[in-house]
């Protein structure tokens, strides 16, 4: 496929936008080459500025669970826009989507809407600190919770050490309050609590990791996290920006039958528009201003266009009892097809999958945390990515991102993809 127009547009963008993109992974640094500029999308397909049609496996990094330009959402946005795009005042829509979200998700009483997953996670941490009166948090290496300062921390020299900033602009003072543990490793969590007695406000975790490829929690891991938090009067925060309303109506909490204290949302809850949210039981959420002491605000929070899109998306998912079964079946079909092809080709690989999240790791060993994810053969992944792109398949341009399956994919699309993998595998 030719990408002449995309190359021209990228060169123009680089002159006026840092790196030519407004989010770093789009720049193709992880795979090389020039990013694709999209002109339009419909259903399971992207149409780029050069006229190429691509089967899409990132789906705007998760929100397009029912496909691009899903007509009920488009209609809801269009009709709402005719009434005004922003007021900075309450609307009935906010209450309606809040009521629906609370009814779908277990263990939450109230929810507050914000404008991004980053904002949701940042606010959840502030709320946890205010509620517990403690300062430190624990996050896991390889889990991404947005670009708030507290989360841009890399591992220190040992399990009981503070993290250190991994981005200029993040201060040592901020970093000292963030502790790093290993995903799927309860002992690393216990060591941190032991070394920081009565100082830890919360543990934040992706219940199914999606930012080091898809990595499921090992049996007992999340249950163990919950128990350790309860023993130490700390809150457990599930970052369900990816998994919320995607793995089940009630997200990972429902699917995995583990309840967190605070849950963060994004992606699907916005129906493709910029929306985030965080939710918890009454006693926690009532700590938020204006009824509590923890301040959080946003001029565009609850924006009517975003609320209309999100409400319509959640209504669609709530009404369709079979949608999550279909998504899981399609993802399993893709998994089995790719696994068969790569096994026959002799390529070392492992595939992780939970519901409609899936990733291919080019290493034969199990991938259970960031350390094992980093062992994958990135050179093979680069060839795999560009090979599929040339066949008309668009996957995440990074070895450390999950694929997101949309219900708009047909089995013909899946077969086309598996056949494309078979062609590409011969070149790896």
């Amino acid at each position: 496929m030719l990408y002449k127009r995309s190359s021209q547009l990228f060169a123009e963008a680089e002159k006026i936008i840092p790196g030519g993109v407004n989010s770093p992974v789009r720049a193709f640094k992880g795979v090389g080459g020039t990013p694709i500029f999209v002109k339009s999308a419909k259903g399971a397909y992207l149409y780029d500025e050069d006229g190429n049609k691509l089967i899409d496996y990132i789906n705007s990094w998760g929100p397009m669970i029912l496909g691009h330009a899903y007509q009920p959402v488009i209609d809801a946005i269009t009709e709402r826009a005719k009434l005004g795009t922003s007021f900075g005042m309450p609307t009935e829509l906010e209450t309606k989507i809040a009521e629906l979200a609370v009814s779908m998700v277990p263990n939450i009483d109230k929810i507050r809407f914000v404008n991004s997953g980053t904002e949701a996670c940042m606010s959840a941490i502030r709320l946890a600190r205010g509620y517990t009166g403690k300062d430190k948090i624990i996050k896991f290496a390889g889990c991404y919770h947005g670009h708030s300062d507290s989360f841009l921390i890399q591992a220190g020299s040992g399990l009981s050490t503070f993290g250190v900033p991994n981005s200029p602009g993040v201060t040592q003072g901020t970093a000292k309050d963030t502790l790093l543990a290993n995903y799927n490793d309860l002992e690393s969590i216990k060591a941190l609590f032991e070394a920081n007695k009565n100082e830890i406000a919360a543990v934040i975790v992706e219940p199914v990791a999606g930012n080091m490829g898809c990595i499921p929690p090992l049996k007992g891991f999340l249950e163990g996290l919950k128990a350790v938090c309860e023993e130490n009067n700390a809150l457990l925060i599930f970052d369900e920006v990816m998994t919320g309303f995607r793995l089940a109506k009630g997200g990972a909490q429902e699917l995995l039958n583990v309840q967190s204290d605070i849950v963060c949302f994004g992606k699907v809850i916005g129906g493709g528009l910029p929306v985030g949210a965080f939710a918890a039981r009454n006693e926690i959420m009532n700590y938020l201003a204006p009824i509590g002491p923890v301040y959080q605000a946003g001029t565009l929070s609850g924006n009517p266009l975003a609320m209309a899109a999100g409400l319509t998306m959640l209504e669609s998912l709530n009404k369709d009892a079979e949608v999550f079964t279909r998504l899981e079946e399609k993802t399993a079909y893709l998994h089995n097809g790719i696994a068969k092809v790569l096994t026959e080709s002799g390529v070392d690989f492992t595939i992780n999958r939970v519901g409609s999240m899936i990733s291919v790791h080019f290493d034969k060993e199990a991938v259970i945390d960031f350390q094992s994810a980093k062992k994958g053969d990135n050179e093979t992944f680069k060839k795999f990515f560009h090979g599929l792109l040339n066949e008309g398949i668009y996957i995440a341009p990074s070895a450390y991102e999950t694929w997101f399956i949309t219900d708009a994919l047909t089995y013909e699309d899946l077969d086309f993809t598996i056949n494309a993998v078979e062609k590409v595998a011969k070149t790896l």
Side-chain angles (χ1 to χ4, degrees):
M1 289 188 175
L2 298 176
Y3 298 102
K4 183 177 180 180
R5 178 65 177 151
S6 281
S7 296
Q8 291 172 341
L9 290 171
F10 185 54
E12 293 170 12
E14 285 184 297
K15 297 175 184 176
I16 199 69
I17 300 172
V21 294
N22 284 309
S23 189
V25 74
R26 301 176 192 173
F28 276 32
K29 290 288 186 180
V31 292
T34 300
I36 308 302
F37 277 62
V38 178
K39 187 171 186 178
S40 66
K42 180 66 177 176
Y45 315 117
L46 301 170
Y47 300 90
D48 71 13
E49 289 284 355
D50 288 279
N52 299 309
K53 175 184 175 182
L54 302 168
I55 299 177
D56 185 13
Y57 283 100
I58 66 166
N59 288 286
S60 191
W61 304 96
M64 305 308 178
I65 190 170
L66 299 179
H68 289 282
Y70 178 61
Q71 198 59 51
V73 169
I74 297 300
D75 291 344
I77 296 170
T78 302
E79 291 305 309
R80 190 67 219 185
K82 294 175 183 177
L83 303 176
T85 59
S86 181
F87 311 121
M89 298 169 65
T91 65
E92 185 182 10
L93 272 174
E94 295 166 76
T95 303
K96 285 186 174 181
I97 189 173
E99 289 174 340
L100 180 55
V102 168
S103 74
M104 293 172 71
V105 178
N107 198 40
I108 64 172
D109 297 318
K110 290 180 179 175
I111 186 169
R112 176 162 286 181
F113 287 90
V114 292
N115 297 294
S116 68
T118 291
E119 195 177 336
C121 292
M122 176 185 72
S123 301
I125 287 295
R126 183 184 302 158
L127 177 58
R129 284 171 166 156
Y131 181 77
T132 63
K134 304 173 187 178
D135 293 337
K136 295 179 182 178
I137 64 167
I138 297 176
K139 73 175 291 287
F140 293 89
C143 284
Y144 178 72
H145 308 291
H147 60 90
S148 175
D149 286 3
S150 294
F151 304 128
L152 293 181
I153 307 297
Q154 64 187 8
S157 59
L159 288 178
S160 299
T161 67
F162 297 121
V164 295
N166 63 353
S167 173
V170 178
T171 68
Q172 292 286 348
T174 297
K176 73 178 177 61
D177 287 329
T178 299
L179 308 173
L180 272 291
N182 297 322
Y183 192 76
N184 276 324
D185 182 356
L186 275 176
E187 294 306 312
S188 70
I189 283 286
K190 292 176 181 177
L192 289 172
F193 271 105
E194 182 64 26
N196 299 272
K197 287 184 181 294
N198 300 314
E199 295 183 86
I200 296 170
V203 176
I204 186 168
V205 64
E206 292 179 273
V208 176
N211 285 285
M212 38 187 161
C214 176
I215 299 183
L218 294 177
K219 185 176 181 180
F221 174 62
L222 295 178
E223 293 84 352
L225 276 186
K226 178 69 173 174
V228 171
C229 286
E230 288 179 346
E231 290 167 7
N232 291 276
N233 296 312
L235 300 184
L236 177 59
I237 303 172
F238 275 4
D239 176 352
E240 292 218 46
V241 169
M242 287 186 179
T243 60
F245 308 102
R246 169 167 280 279
L247 298 186
K249 284 184 183 181
Q253 287 192 115
E254 176 187 326
L255 182 71
L256 303 174
N257 195 30
V258 180
Q259 294 185 340
S260 62
D261 296 299
I262 304 176
V263 57
C264 303
F265 299 111
K267 312 293 187 187
V268 172
I269 202 172
L273 270 67
V275 183
F278 60 105
R281 303 183 305 276
N282 280 324
E283 61 265 30
I284 298 174
M285 293 301 283
N286 288 345
Y287 261 69
L288 281 174
I291 56 175
V294 177
Y295 193 73
Q296 183 277 327
T299 299
L300 291 176
S301 295
N303 173 269
L305 299 187
M307 296 294 93
L311 176 60
T312 304
M313 179 63 74
L314 294 193
E315 287 176 337
S316 296
L317 295 172
N318 197 42
K319 291 175 183 175
D320 188 348
E322 301 301 321
V323 62
F324 297 103
T325 300
R326 291 197 306 271
L327 283 162
E328 186 167 5
E329 289 173 348
K330 289 177 181 180
T331 310
Y333 185 88
L334 183 66
H335 179 166
N336 293 333
I338 293 176
K340 182 176 183 293
V341 166
L342 293 180
T343 298
E344 291 173 351
S345 72
V347 175
D348 288 338
F349 76 97
T350 188
I351 297 176
N352 285 348
R353 168 174 58 89
V354 179
S356 57
M357 297 169 61
I358 183 172
S359 59
V360 180
H361 303 265
F362 288 102
D363 189 89
K364 61 183 178 181
E365 302 299 327
V367 178
I368 62 169
D369 56 18
F370 190 45
Q371 289 72 28
S372 51
K374 289 192 295 184
K375 294 178 181 177
D377 187 340
N378 282 343
E379 292 305 312
T380 297
F381 178 82
K382 292 176 186 178
K383 294 177 184 177
F384 185 69
F385 171 83
H386 284 289
L388 288 182
L389 188 58
N390 287 332
E391 294 293 331
I393 310 294
Y394 190 74
I395 65 172
S398 167
Y400 302 111
E401 300 286 353
T402 187
W403 308 6
F404 295 100
I405 305 305
T406 172
D407 194 41
L409 284 162
T410 66
Y411 280 90
E412 288 75 17
D413 294 326
L414 299 176
D415 285 334
F416 184 91
T417 302
I418 293 165
N419 290 333
V421 171
E422 185 173 17
K423 293 178 183 177
V424 173
K426 295 175 182 177
T427 68
L428 299 179

